[in-house]
Amino acid sequence: MHSSLKPFVGLVLVAGIAGSAYAQSPFAKPQDAIQYRQSALFVMGQQFGRIAAVVKGKRPFDKAEVARSAAIVKEMSTLPWEGFVAGTDKGKTHAKPNIWTEAAKFKSRQEKMEQEAAKLAEVAKGGDLDAIKTQFGATGKACKACHDDFRE
Ligand code: ASC
């Protein structure tokens, strides 16, 4: 290579590395990653809200309905995390920047919530409203713990 080209090749490499965390993600653009995680969390919130209404006595307890909502919450609880790609802390998002600087803590919050949601789905299949109420509380606590630290 002609020595005068070397700085340019270097620049291209640096640009490639800077963009690579994003380029390796499955999303076409940063806003898609943001929208993806928000979509999963929105569906989760809607279904969790239906269970909340039952728990608060504002909606009649239909065992099959609650079991379905809890199964959806469980499934949704696994989805948002892949949307928290590096470089998606800006834009239409409530994500706090410490999601990327305290990654281990963020991951432990995710895992806790997934575990509680999985338990809620299990309990909901059983159809015992008191047990559902208890596990609903534990799951909501896990939602809140993450929001307190990582959501604006
Ligand atoms: C919900 C919802 C949340 C959690 C959280 C629990 O219904 O949308 O984000 O519960 O408020 O504290």
Side-chain angles (χ1 to χ4, degrees):
M1 181 195 309
H2 194 282
S3 64
S4 68
L5 282 178
K6 279 185 180 165
F8 297 104
V9 172
L11 260 183
V12 168
L13 281 176
V14 167
I17 289 162
S20 66
Y22 194 76
Q24 283 163 24
S25 94
F27 301 102
K29 53 186 195 290
Q31 189 54 39
D32 286 355
I34 292 172
Q35 203 176 327
Y36 181 90
R37 71 200 187 209
Q38 288 179 345
S39 301
L41 287 160
F42 179 74
V43 171
M44 182 167 19
Q46 289 287 305
Q47 294 292 345
F48 196 63
R50 291 186 196 183
I51 305 171
V54 172
V55 164
K56 291 174 191 159
K58 291 179 180 166
R59 189 180 171 90
F61 176 45
D62 178 316
K63 187 181 145 172
E65 209 176 87
V66 168
R68 174 177 179 265
S69 287
I72 296 169
V73 167
K74 177 189 169 180
E75 191 62 31
M76 290 302 117
S77 76
T78 68
L79 299 181
W81 323 122
E82 68 199 76
F84 289 91
V85 183
T88 61
D89 56 328
K90 303 279 186 301
K92 238 187 121 221
T93 177
H94 301 283
K96 280 189 183 172
N98 61 330
I99 285 172
W100 292 276
T101 56
E102 297 181 78
K105 189 175 171 185
F106 184 56
K107 188 156 179 57
S108 81
R109 292 283 193 275
Q110 294 167 23
E111 286 170 354
K112 175 74 175 160
M113 200 278 285
E114 288 182 48
Q115 286 161 12
E116 297 295 4
K119 267 194 224 170
L120 180 61
E122 213 36 54
V123 167
K125 271 193 240 169
D128 174 345
L129 185 54
D130 282 336
I132 291 168
K133 283 181 182 174
T134 301
Q135 188 52 33
F136 171 84
T139 309
K141 218 174 122 190
C143 299
K144 186 175 185 299
C146 194
H147 287 171
D148 285 351
D149 286 324
F150 296 109
R151 186 176 196 260
E152 207 71 75

